[in-house]
Amino acid sequence: MSGRPEGSATSGWLARALASNAEAVFVGEEYPLALLGENDERFLQVSAQLLRRTPSRLDRAIAALYTTPQTLAASERVRQAVQGSWQALARLQQEATGRSQNHGYPNGAIGQQLALVGRILETQPQVVYTTVGGWDTHANQRQRHQNLWSQLAESLAALQRHLQAQGRQNSVLTLVHSEFGRRPAENGSGGTDHGTAGSVLLLGPVRGGLYGGEPDLSGLVNGNLVVAVDYRQILGEVLAKWLQVPAQSVFNQPWPALGVLG
């Protein structure tokens, strides 16, 4: 998400907000535009498969190449660096698996992914960003949404328990959003098509409630819900009040805050 829908942008809203040396981590496979800098700068990336992947024969064969000490100093430094990286990943995998069991993260892909996010949050980076796929439900939406929302709800609840166990439930803000909305009417395949409006969920030290009112199904425009709250109002408030970054510097104009962060 660029945060600049009026034109084509080559950088993401969050990357523009963060300094190049900010402690930010992306947990996932396909690097998101939101964290992409103007000159293709990227932050640390950790595979979301880390807790679900077991070493393959190829992994073991490659690892064996780095078990033998090298006589050349430069080669030995490379070998030790590679081994150190693998050992660090193994520790992270083991620790995240333990957190998953201790805090009741569900066993599915989303639960394991957020367990990894929870473990990384223990190091207190400025931002952890992750992506969850499967929501483009043009067909069979009822069953797919039931599964996805159940996994997501249980995983977010586990993440909050994880944070509470550390006494950090008021120092971490969780924002959940989609990069596209959906039309309210069902299509011919038991799903819904892309639309203009969607929802955003905030967890943490927020003023709870429903902002923007109930969706008006009687006032659709070309089959789409009317947008009640611009997403930049939400992101802008998070930038200004949580990250202390002026929203105008990211979105090229100020956006009125909703007051969700007080």
Side-chain angles (χ1 to χ4, degrees):
M1 180 188 291
S2 71
R4 292 174 178 171
E6 293 79 9
S8 60
T10 58
S11 65
W13 70 276
L14 196 49
R16 293 195 299 273
L18 298 173
S20 59
N21 61 346
E23 293 183 346
V25 181
F26 168 59
V27 178
E29 311 307 320
E30 184 177 349
Y31 199 85
L33 174 59
L35 278 178
L36 192 63
E38 294 282 1
N39 297 306
D40 202 38
E41 302 95 340
R42 300 182 181 220
F43 296 93
L44 176 65
Q45 180 173 359
V46 177
S47 171
Q49 303 288 331
L50 186 62
L51 300 193
R52 306 193 298 275
R53 188 172 181 275
T54 56
S56 65
R57 291 176 60 186
L58 178 60
D59 292 329
R60 291 191 290 271
I62 294 175
L65 297 175
Y66 293 93
T67 58
T68 304
Q70 302 295 302
T71 55
L72 292 176
S75 299
E76 178 60 12
R77 286 195 296 271
V78 171
R79 186 189 75 84
Q80 292 181 4
V82 171
Q83 280 203 323
S85 298
W86 280 342
Q87 291 167 1
L89 285 174
R91 286 195 301 272
L92 178 60
Q93 183 180 35
Q94 183 179 23
E95 292 170 359
T97 300
R99 306 304 195 276
S100 176
Q101 297 168 350
N102 293 340
H103 302 296
Y105 287 95
N107 291 325
I110 298 176
Q112 297 304 296
Q113 187 167 334
L114 287 193
L116 181 56
V117 168
R119 172 60 188 91
I120 293 173
L121 281 170
E122 292 181 19
T123 66
Q124 300 189 29
Q126 190 175 10
V127 170
V128 178
Y129 192 101
T130 192
T131 54
V132 175
W135 301 90
D136 197 8
T137 49
H138 290 281
N140 194 26
Q141 177 171 298
R142 182 175 180 180
Q143 182 177 350
R144 290 172 63 187
H145 265 197
Q146 183 176 2
N147 179 49
L148 284 167
W149 281 111
S150 176
Q151 285 191 55
L152 183 61
E154 293 175 12
S155 301
L156 289 172
L159 179 61
Q160 288 302 112
R161 289 192 296 269
H162 194 160
L163 294 170
Q164 289 170 358
Q166 303 171 60
R168 301 190 61 225
Q169 66 272 20
N170 291 322
S171 60
V172 174
L173 177 68
T174 302
L175 184 150
V176 183
H177 71 92
S178 174
E179 292 193 343
F180 52 83
R182 304 208 75 83
R183 294 188 173 210
E186 182 177 331
N187 60 24
S189 303
T192 57
D193 298 322
H194 292 190
T196 56
S199 56
V200 174
L201 178 66
L202 286 168
L203 297 88
V206 301
R207 296 175 61 188
L210 177 64
Y211 293 79
E214 296 282 351
D216 183 7
L217 297 179
S218 64
L220 303 181
V221 176
N222 297 323
N224 285 297
L225 293 167
V226 176
V227 176
V229 176
D230 192 288
Y231 70 94
R232 286 166 292 187
Q233 290 181 254
I234 305 168
L235 300 185
E237 185 168 350
V238 170
L239 290 175
K241 295 188 177 181
W242 196 261
L243 296 178
Q244 284 75 54
V245 175
Q248 186 166 356
S249 67
V250 175
F251 299 128
N252 291 341
Q253 67 181 92
W255 288 90
L258 290 174
V260 67
L261 295 181

